[in-house]
Amino acid sequence: MTLAAAVRSESVKQITTSMWWLLAIILVAYVAFTAAALGFVFAASASGALPGQQMTIDPSILPPTIYSSATSVGYVFPLLIGTLMVTSEFRHQTLTPTFLAFPRRGTALAGKVVVGILLGLLYGVLGTLAAVGAGAGFLAGFGVDTGLGEADTWALIGRMLIAFVLWVLIGIGVGALVRNQVGAVVGVLVFTQFLEPIGRVAGSFVDGLSEVVRFLPGAAGDALVGASVFTGIGPTGGDGGTLEWWAGGIVLLAYAAVFLVVGWATTWRRDVS
């Protein structure tokens, strides 16, 4: 069977289930709320609209910091959908007919990768619209430049779309490597919501640790985008320990490649029941 047939088959599987659009709705709501909250607090503070002591914030860093919330807090959603694309086949025992239809298992996995890229772009567009729409509204409302007329802002948005795609591919690799759906999802949530954030915070206090944590997936994703709410607001207006955007992209791509290759070479090639 051809790759085109595998892509068609995988597309049908995705559009006939509800998980992809449920996660998309939650992504939009979560990112829009986060961007709106950040936009209100930071824009009001930078404009002097908040009573009491004001934070010293450079207004020029607000648009990229707020808009990048789509990836800095929303990246778990493309990661989850990529993981579920594969583990749901193991859980619902649909992988056997899939492999019967596509005896070359690499073709079946490649079909998931192609559909994953499309889903990543879709999630990226939705997340970006949510962040930019909510954030720019509050920036404009408080008289702060939205940055939408600048090329750098659109370059950042383009890198956000790339990040969403890479996160889906990492998720597919994780799903191919870890058969158990509950274990894979719990592992993704524990790492992204607890282990890595704690490690990144510790890296800002422990000498030498920052050189290691900047190569973690979330840190690399933030570096690729070029802005993050976790590094954009502070006394220095940024984090000098992050990678260059292109290096962050290479690191994130490397994670995707490693998970996909190892998953294909081990778990994906085992017998299924």
Side-chain angles (χ1 to χ4, degrees), residues 139-238:
L139 290 175
F142 285 99
V144 179
D145 184 10
T146 63
L148 294 178
E150 300 178 7
D152 287 346
T153 300
W154 292 100
L156 177 136
I157 290 174
R159 294 194 298 270
M160 287 165 59
L161 297 180
I162 295 174
F164 268 94
V165 169
L166 291 177
W167 280 118
V168 174
L169 297 185
I170 292 174
I172 293 174
V174 171
L177 187 60
V178 182
R179 289 190 174 199
N180 185 274
Q181 186 175 73
V182 174
V185 170
V186 170
V188 164
L189 293 176
V190 168
F191 183 82
T192 60
Q193 305 304 304
F194 295 99
L195 296 183
E196 181 170 358
I198 291 173
R200 293 178 68 177
V201 170
S204 63
F205 292 98
V206 180
D207 291 340
L209 187 58
S210 61
E211 295 298 317
V212 177
V213 299
R214 64 179 181 165
F215 289 98
L216 292 175
D222 287 347
L224 166 61
V225 172
S228 169
V229 66
F230 299 112
T231 59
I233 302 296
T236 62

Side-chain angles (χ1 to χ4, degrees), residues 18 42 53 181 252 265 271:
S18 60
F42 292 147
Q53 185 177 1
Q181 186 175 73
L252 209 59
D271 292 336

Side-chain angles (χ1 to χ4, degrees), residues 26-36 38 65-80 127 130-131 160 164 167 189 192-193 197 200 218 221-222 225 227-230:
I26 299 172
L27 164 68
V28 170
Y30 183 43
V31 169
F33 174 80
T34 302
L38 294 175
T65 300
I66 294 170
Y67 300 159
S68 66
S69 62
T71 49
S72 59
V73 303
Y75 73 95
V76 67
F77 295 98
L79 182 57
L80 281 175
M160 287 165 59
F164 268 94
W167 280 118
L189 293 176
T192 60
Q193 305 304 304
R200 293 178 68 177
D222 287 347
V225 172
S228 169
V229 66
F230 299 112

Side-chain angles (χ1 to χ4, degrees), residues 74-153:
Y75 73 95
V76 67
F77 295 98
L79 182 57
L80 281 175
I81 192 61
T83 303
L84 292 171
M85 285 176 64
V86 183
T87 56
S88 61
E89 297 243 42
F90 289 108
R91 180 180 180 182
H92 299 293
Q93 299 181 340
T94 58
L95 202 56
T96 298
T98 296
F99 285 161
L100 290 175
F102 303 97
R104 294 184 178 180
R105 297 188 178 188
T107 302
L109 186 60
K112 291 184 179 296
V113 167
V114 173
V115 175
I117 291 173
L118 298 177
L119 278 175
L121 289 173
L122 174 62
Y123 275 45
V125 170
L126 293 175
T128 299
L129 288 175
V132 174
F138 278 100
L139 290 175
F142 285 99
V144 179
D145 184 10
T146 63
L148 294 178
E150 300 178 7
D152 287 346
T153 300

